Short mmCIF file of all heavy atoms in Angstrom, two decimals:
data_model
loop_
_atom_site.label_atom_id
_atom_site.label_comp_id
_atom_site.label_asym_id
_atom_site.label_seq_id
_atom_site.Cartn_x
_atom_site.Cartn_y
_atom_site.Cartn_z
N LEU A 220 118.43 84.43 132.98
CA LEU A 220 117.41 84.91 133.92
C LEU A 220 117.66 84.36 135.33
O LEU A 220 118.05 83.20 135.49
CB LEU A 220 116.01 84.50 133.45
CG LEU A 220 115.61 85.03 132.07
CD1 LEU A 220 114.26 84.43 131.65
CD2 LEU A 220 115.52 86.55 132.06
N ILE A 221 117.44 85.23 136.31
CA ILE A 221 117.62 84.82 137.69
C ILE A 221 116.43 83.94 138.11
O ILE A 221 115.30 84.21 137.71
CB ILE A 221 117.70 86.08 138.61
CG1 ILE A 221 118.82 87.00 138.11
CG2 ILE A 221 117.95 85.67 140.07
CD1 ILE A 221 118.87 88.34 138.80
N ASP A 222 116.73 82.91 138.87
CA ASP A 222 115.68 81.96 139.23
C ASP A 222 114.89 82.45 140.45
O ASP A 222 115.22 82.11 141.59
CB ASP A 222 116.34 80.60 139.52
CG ASP A 222 115.31 79.49 139.62
OD1 ASP A 222 114.16 79.73 139.20
OD2 ASP A 222 115.65 78.40 140.10
N ILE A 223 113.88 83.27 140.19
CA ILE A 223 113.02 83.74 141.29
C ILE A 223 111.59 83.32 140.95
O ILE A 223 110.88 84.00 140.18
CB ILE A 223 113.10 85.28 141.46
CG1 ILE A 223 114.55 85.73 141.60
CG2 ILE A 223 112.26 85.74 142.67
CD1 ILE A 223 114.75 87.23 141.68
N PRO A 224 111.14 82.15 141.46
CA PRO A 224 109.83 81.59 141.06
C PRO A 224 108.66 82.56 141.25
O PRO A 224 107.76 82.61 140.40
CB PRO A 224 109.69 80.36 141.96
CG PRO A 224 111.07 80.01 142.36
CD PRO A 224 111.84 81.28 142.42
N GLU A 225 108.68 83.33 142.35
CA GLU A 225 107.54 84.24 142.61
C GLU A 225 107.40 85.28 141.48
O GLU A 225 106.30 85.61 141.04
CB GLU A 225 107.72 85.00 143.93
CG GLU A 225 108.02 84.16 145.15
CD GLU A 225 109.51 83.85 145.29
OE1 GLU A 225 110.28 84.78 145.50
OE2 GLU A 225 109.88 82.66 145.18
N LEU A 226 108.54 85.77 141.00
CA LEU A 226 108.49 86.76 139.92
C LEU A 226 108.01 86.13 138.61
O LEU A 226 107.28 86.75 137.85
CB LEU A 226 109.87 87.38 139.71
CG LEU A 226 110.19 88.64 140.51
CD1 LEU A 226 111.53 89.22 140.12
CD2 LEU A 226 109.12 89.71 140.32
N LYS A 227 108.44 84.89 138.39
CA LYS A 227 108.03 84.20 137.15
C LYS A 227 106.51 84.01 137.14
O LYS A 227 105.85 84.15 136.12
CB LYS A 227 108.72 82.85 137.07
CG LYS A 227 110.12 82.96 136.57
CD LYS A 227 110.63 81.58 136.24
CE LYS A 227 112.14 81.63 136.23
NZ LYS A 227 112.73 80.80 137.27
N GLU A 228 105.99 83.70 138.32
CA GLU A 228 104.55 83.50 138.44
C GLU A 228 103.82 84.83 138.23
O GLU A 228 102.84 84.92 137.51
CB GLU A 228 104.26 82.94 139.82
CG GLU A 228 102.93 82.25 139.93
CD GLU A 228 102.74 81.70 141.34
OE1 GLU A 228 103.66 81.02 141.86
OE2 GLU A 228 101.69 81.97 141.90
N TYR A 229 104.36 85.87 138.87
CA TYR A 229 103.71 87.19 138.82
C TYR A 229 103.71 87.76 137.40
O TYR A 229 102.72 88.31 136.92
CB TYR A 229 104.43 88.14 139.79
CG TYR A 229 103.80 89.50 139.88
CD1 TYR A 229 102.48 89.64 140.28
CD2 TYR A 229 104.51 90.64 139.56
CE1 TYR A 229 101.89 90.89 140.36
CE2 TYR A 229 103.93 91.90 139.64
CZ TYR A 229 102.63 92.02 140.04
OH TYR A 229 102.05 93.26 140.12
N PHE A 230 104.85 87.62 136.72
CA PHE A 230 104.97 88.15 135.35
C PHE A 230 104.70 87.06 134.31
O PHE A 230 105.31 87.07 133.25
CB PHE A 230 106.36 88.73 135.11
CG PHE A 230 106.62 90.02 135.83
CD1 PHE A 230 107.67 90.13 136.74
CD2 PHE A 230 105.84 91.13 135.60
CE1 PHE A 230 107.92 91.32 137.40
CE2 PHE A 230 106.08 92.33 136.26
CZ PHE A 230 107.13 92.42 137.17
N ALA A 231 103.81 86.13 134.64
CA ALA A 231 103.57 85.00 133.75
C ALA A 231 103.24 85.44 132.32
O ALA A 231 103.64 84.82 131.35
CB ALA A 231 102.45 84.14 134.30
N LEU A 232 102.54 86.57 132.21
CA LEU A 232 102.13 87.06 130.89
C LEU A 232 103.34 87.41 130.01
O LEU A 232 103.27 87.32 128.78
CB LEU A 232 101.23 88.29 131.03
CG LEU A 232 99.73 88.04 131.01
CD1 LEU A 232 98.98 89.35 131.15
CD2 LEU A 232 99.30 87.34 129.72
N ALA A 233 104.42 87.86 130.67
CA ALA A 233 105.61 88.27 129.91
C ALA A 233 106.26 87.06 129.24
O ALA A 233 106.90 87.20 128.21
CB ALA A 233 106.60 88.97 130.84
N GLY A 234 106.08 85.87 129.80
CA GLY A 234 106.66 84.66 129.24
C GLY A 234 108.18 84.66 129.36
O GLY A 234 108.79 85.70 129.61
N TYR A 235 108.76 83.47 129.23
CA TYR A 235 110.22 83.40 129.25
C TYR A 235 110.66 82.08 128.64
O TYR A 235 109.87 81.14 128.50
CB TYR A 235 110.76 83.55 130.69
CG TYR A 235 110.43 82.41 131.61
CD1 TYR A 235 111.31 81.35 131.79
CD2 TYR A 235 109.21 82.37 132.28
CE1 TYR A 235 110.99 80.29 132.61
CE2 TYR A 235 108.89 81.31 133.11
CZ TYR A 235 109.78 80.28 133.28
OH TYR A 235 109.46 79.22 134.09
N ASP A 236 111.92 82.04 128.26
CA ASP A 236 112.50 80.84 127.67
C ASP A 236 113.19 80.08 128.80
O ASP A 236 114.12 80.59 129.42
CB ASP A 236 113.51 81.28 126.59
CG ASP A 236 114.14 80.11 125.86
OD1 ASP A 236 114.08 78.98 126.40
OD2 ASP A 236 114.68 80.33 124.78
N GLU A 237 112.73 78.85 129.05
CA GLU A 237 113.28 78.12 130.21
C GLU A 237 114.77 77.80 130.05
O GLU A 237 115.47 77.55 131.03
CB GLU A 237 112.48 76.84 130.48
CG GLU A 237 112.45 75.88 129.32
CD GLU A 237 111.52 74.70 129.58
OE1 GLU A 237 110.54 74.87 130.35
OE2 GLU A 237 111.78 73.65 129.00
N HIS A 238 115.28 77.83 128.83
CA HIS A 238 116.72 77.60 128.61
C HIS A 238 117.57 78.76 129.11
O HIS A 238 118.78 78.67 129.14
CB HIS A 238 117.00 77.38 127.12
CG HIS A 238 116.37 76.15 126.58
ND1 HIS A 238 115.25 76.17 125.80
CD2 HIS A 238 116.69 74.85 126.75
CE1 HIS A 238 114.91 74.94 125.49
NE2 HIS A 238 115.76 74.12 126.06
N ASN A 239 116.93 79.87 129.45
CA ASN A 239 117.69 81.05 129.89
C ASN A 239 117.91 81.07 131.40
O ASN A 239 118.70 81.85 131.89
CB ASN A 239 116.93 82.35 129.56
CG ASN A 239 116.78 82.55 128.09
OD1 ASN A 239 117.27 81.75 127.32
ND2 ASN A 239 116.13 83.61 127.69
N VAL A 240 117.13 80.25 132.10
CA VAL A 240 117.16 80.35 133.56
C VAL A 240 118.32 79.54 134.13
O VAL A 240 118.46 78.36 133.84
CB VAL A 240 115.83 79.84 134.17
CG1 VAL A 240 115.83 80.06 135.67
CG2 VAL A 240 114.65 80.54 133.53
N GLY A 241 119.13 80.20 134.91
CA GLY A 241 120.26 79.50 135.53
C GLY A 241 120.15 79.58 137.04
O GLY A 241 119.71 80.60 137.58
N GLU A 242 120.53 78.51 137.70
CA GLU A 242 120.38 78.46 139.14
C GLU A 242 121.18 79.55 139.85
O GLU A 242 120.75 80.11 140.85
CB GLU A 242 120.83 77.08 139.64
CG GLU A 242 120.07 76.60 140.86
CD GLU A 242 120.35 75.14 141.11
OE1 GLU A 242 119.84 74.30 140.34
OE2 GLU A 242 121.08 74.86 142.06
N ASN A 243 122.37 79.85 139.29
CA ASN A 243 123.23 80.81 139.97
C ASN A 243 123.37 82.13 139.23
O ASN A 243 124.30 82.89 139.49
CB ASN A 243 124.61 80.19 140.20
CG ASN A 243 124.51 78.95 141.07
OD1 ASN A 243 123.87 78.98 142.12
ND2 ASN A 243 125.07 77.85 140.60
N VAL A 244 122.50 82.37 138.29
CA VAL A 244 122.61 83.62 137.51
C VAL A 244 122.31 84.82 138.40
O VAL A 244 121.38 84.79 139.21
CB VAL A 244 121.64 83.59 136.31
CG1 VAL A 244 121.53 84.96 135.65
CG2 VAL A 244 122.08 82.57 135.28
N THR A 245 123.11 85.87 138.26
CA THR A 245 122.84 87.14 138.95
C THR A 245 122.89 88.25 137.90
O THR A 245 123.18 87.99 136.73
CB THR A 245 123.91 87.43 140.02
OG1 THR A 245 125.16 87.63 139.34
CG2 THR A 245 124.05 86.31 141.03
N VAL A 246 122.66 89.48 138.35
CA VAL A 246 122.72 90.61 137.42
C VAL A 246 124.13 90.74 136.84
O VAL A 246 124.30 91.11 135.68
CB VAL A 246 122.30 91.92 138.15
CG1 VAL A 246 122.60 93.13 137.29
CG2 VAL A 246 120.81 91.88 138.49
N VAL A 247 125.14 90.37 137.63
CA VAL A 247 126.53 90.41 137.13
C VAL A 247 126.65 89.51 135.89
O VAL A 247 127.22 89.90 134.87
CB VAL A 247 127.53 89.95 138.23
CG1 VAL A 247 128.96 90.01 137.72
CG2 VAL A 247 127.37 90.80 139.48
N ASP A 248 126.06 88.32 135.96
CA ASP A 248 126.11 87.39 134.83
C ASP A 248 125.32 87.93 133.64
O ASP A 248 125.71 87.75 132.48
CB ASP A 248 125.53 86.02 135.22
CG ASP A 248 126.30 85.40 136.36
OD1 ASP A 248 127.51 85.21 136.21
OD2 ASP A 248 125.69 85.16 137.43
N GLN A 249 124.21 88.58 133.95
CA GLN A 249 123.38 89.12 132.86
C GLN A 249 124.19 90.15 132.05
O GLN A 249 124.15 90.16 130.82
CB GLN A 249 122.11 89.76 133.44
CG GLN A 249 121.21 88.73 134.12
CD GLN A 249 119.93 89.32 134.67
OE1 GLN A 249 119.88 90.48 135.06
NE2 GLN A 249 118.90 88.50 134.74
N VAL A 250 124.94 90.98 132.76
CA VAL A 250 125.77 91.98 132.06
C VAL A 250 126.88 91.26 131.29
O VAL A 250 127.21 91.65 130.16
CB VAL A 250 126.33 93.01 133.07
CG1 VAL A 250 127.32 93.95 132.39
CG2 VAL A 250 125.19 93.81 133.68
N GLN A 251 127.40 90.18 131.87
CA GLN A 251 128.42 89.40 131.16
C GLN A 251 127.83 88.80 129.87
O GLN A 251 128.49 88.78 128.84
CB GLN A 251 128.93 88.25 132.06
CG GLN A 251 129.82 88.70 133.21
CD GLN A 251 131.19 89.20 132.75
OE1 GLN A 251 131.64 88.90 131.66
NE2 GLN A 251 131.83 90.00 133.60
N HIS A 252 126.59 88.33 129.95
CA HIS A 252 125.95 87.74 128.76
C HIS A 252 125.81 88.80 127.67
O HIS A 252 126.08 88.54 126.50
CB HIS A 252 124.57 87.18 129.11
CG HIS A 252 124.62 86.00 130.02
ND1 HIS A 252 123.61 85.67 130.89
CD2 HIS A 252 125.59 85.06 130.22
CE1 HIS A 252 123.94 84.58 131.57
NE2 HIS A 252 125.14 84.20 131.18
N ILE A 253 125.38 89.99 128.08
CA ILE A 253 125.23 91.07 127.09
C ILE A 253 126.62 91.43 126.54
O ILE A 253 126.79 91.68 125.34
CB ILE A 253 124.53 92.29 127.74
CG1 ILE A 253 123.11 91.90 128.16
CG2 ILE A 253 124.48 93.46 126.75
CD1 ILE A 253 122.43 92.89 129.10
N GLY A 254 127.62 91.42 127.43
CA GLY A 254 129.00 91.66 127.00
C GLY A 254 129.44 90.62 125.97
O GLY A 254 130.05 90.95 124.95
N ASN A 255 129.09 89.36 126.22
CA ASN A 255 129.41 88.29 125.25
C ASN A 255 128.77 88.58 123.90
O ASN A 255 129.37 88.33 122.86
CB ASN A 255 128.90 86.94 125.75
CG ASN A 255 129.80 86.36 126.82
OD1 ASN A 255 130.98 86.68 126.88
ND2 ASN A 255 129.24 85.56 127.70
N PHE A 256 127.53 89.10 123.97
CA PHE A 256 126.88 89.41 122.70
C PHE A 256 127.65 90.50 121.95
O PHE A 256 127.84 90.41 120.74
CB PHE A 256 125.42 89.86 122.92
CG PHE A 256 124.77 90.24 121.61
CD1 PHE A 256 124.33 89.26 120.74
CD2 PHE A 256 124.69 91.56 121.22
CE1 PHE A 256 123.80 89.59 119.50
CE2 PHE A 256 124.15 91.90 119.99
CZ PHE A 256 123.71 90.91 119.14
N THR A 257 128.11 91.54 122.69
CA THR A 257 128.83 92.63 122.00
C THR A 257 130.11 92.08 121.35
O THR A 257 130.50 92.53 120.27
CB THR A 257 129.20 93.77 122.97
OG1 THR A 257 130.11 93.29 123.97
CG2 THR A 257 127.98 94.38 123.63
N LYS A 258 130.74 91.08 121.99
CA LYS A 258 131.95 90.51 121.40
C LYS A 258 131.64 89.76 120.10
O LYS A 258 132.34 89.89 119.12
CB LYS A 258 132.63 89.57 122.42
CG LYS A 258 133.30 90.33 123.55
CD LYS A 258 133.85 89.39 124.61
CE LYS A 258 134.46 90.21 125.76
NZ LYS A 258 134.76 89.37 126.93
N LYS A 259 130.55 88.99 120.13
CA LYS A 259 130.15 88.26 118.91
C LYS A 259 129.66 89.23 117.83
O LYS A 259 129.86 89.00 116.65
CB LYS A 259 129.04 87.26 119.23
CG LYS A 259 129.46 86.11 120.12
CD LYS A 259 129.97 84.92 119.34
CE LYS A 259 128.85 84.06 118.84
NZ LYS A 259 129.27 82.75 118.35
N LEU A 260 129.05 90.30 118.30
CA LEU A 260 128.58 91.33 117.37
C LEU A 260 129.78 91.92 116.63
O LEU A 260 129.77 92.09 115.39
CB LEU A 260 127.85 92.44 118.16
CG LEU A 260 127.37 93.66 117.41
CD1 LEU A 260 126.26 93.30 116.44
CD2 LEU A 260 126.84 94.72 118.39
N SER A 261 130.80 92.21 117.40
CA SER A 261 131.99 92.82 116.85
C SER A 261 132.73 91.87 115.90
O SER A 261 133.17 92.26 114.83
CB SER A 261 132.90 93.25 118.01
OG SER A 261 134.19 93.44 117.59
#
Side-chain angles (χ1 to χ4, degrees):
Chain A
L220 300 174
I221 305 172
D222 192 14
I223 307 176
E225 308 85 65
L226 270 185
K227 279 192 200 116
E228 200 179 311
Y229 183 59
F230 288 121
L232 265 181
Y235 67 94
D236 183 341
E237 59 186 28
H238 295 104
N239 295 358
V240 184
E242 212 168 287
N243 299 311
V244 168
T245 65
V246 169
V247 180
D248 300 302
Q249 296 182 330
V250 173
Q251 288 290 340
H252 292 152
I253 297 166
N255 283 334
F256 177 78
T257 64
K258 287 175 183 169
K259 293 270 278 193
L260 176 67
S261 161

